[in-house]
Amino acid sequence: MKIAILTGASSGLGRAFAGRIHEVFPEIEEIWLVARRTERLEALAAETNAVRMVPVPCDLLNEESYRSLIGRLQAEKPEVRLLINNAGCGFLGAFADSNEDEQLRSIDLNVRALTRLTRAVLPYMPRGARVLNTSSIASFSPNPNMAVYSATKAYVTFFSRALNDELRASGRSCTAVCPAPMNTEFLTLGRVAGHSRMFERLPYETVDEVSLGALKAAKKRKAVYTPRAFYRFYRFLCRILPDALLIRLGRT
């Protein structure tokens, strides 16, 4: 059985990925939809018949729940052709005034869970398989008022680029997708909506364009994919401009 594993599948970009996987990777026979909200996963699984959707309720930060997912992987031993690490979170606000539990959750989910799951799934990924990690344009430079979030996404981008090089010899690949703001639950749950002039000024992307572009980039084995020329130019600027200037420009 050739499968895809998709985390953060219950909303936003994750839902868009679920609907697009078969379009770019028609060989995939089954998609494991991984997220905490069972009812949303079941609703998503019932929406399409293009490929079999399997709800796999799992809280990646809960040890028992995570072990259940890994146990299922060990029992069924599927051929994982695509792993999409899309689960993540972030919160707007000055670090000194922030909620400690929320910031630690960002680190645990964006960094630790992604790393841990990737390591667990790789033995089931044969030659030709792809890993796709959701990062952010926030990974290109430090972002005041989203200090922890941008730091975790910098990890995702750098980890993905290095892993892509390591996997090349085995015919596998890893791609980091670095999207700009999208109209998803992230803006509300992270208390970004209505509280950031920077986010209000930036051009928004859609989950449909990001998901399709990211999957196509993974198909081509690109190390990093940044949607839209505007943000690709920003990525270029982040390579050549001093960090002090980028930090001032990146204040959210």
Side-chain angles (χ1 to χ4, degrees), residues 167-187:
L167 294 177
R168 186 174 290 115
S170 65
R172 299 175 292 180
S173 64
C174 181
T175 301
V177 56
C178 300
M182 299 170 281
N183 282 310
T184 66
E185 285 184 350
F186 175 87
L187 298 181

Side-chain angles (χ1 to χ4, degrees), residues 37-51:
R37 294 173 286 193
T38 304
E39 68 285 351
R40 289 198 178 190
L41 295 181
E42 292 176 345
L44 176 59
E47 284 181 7
T48 177
N49 294 316
V51 61

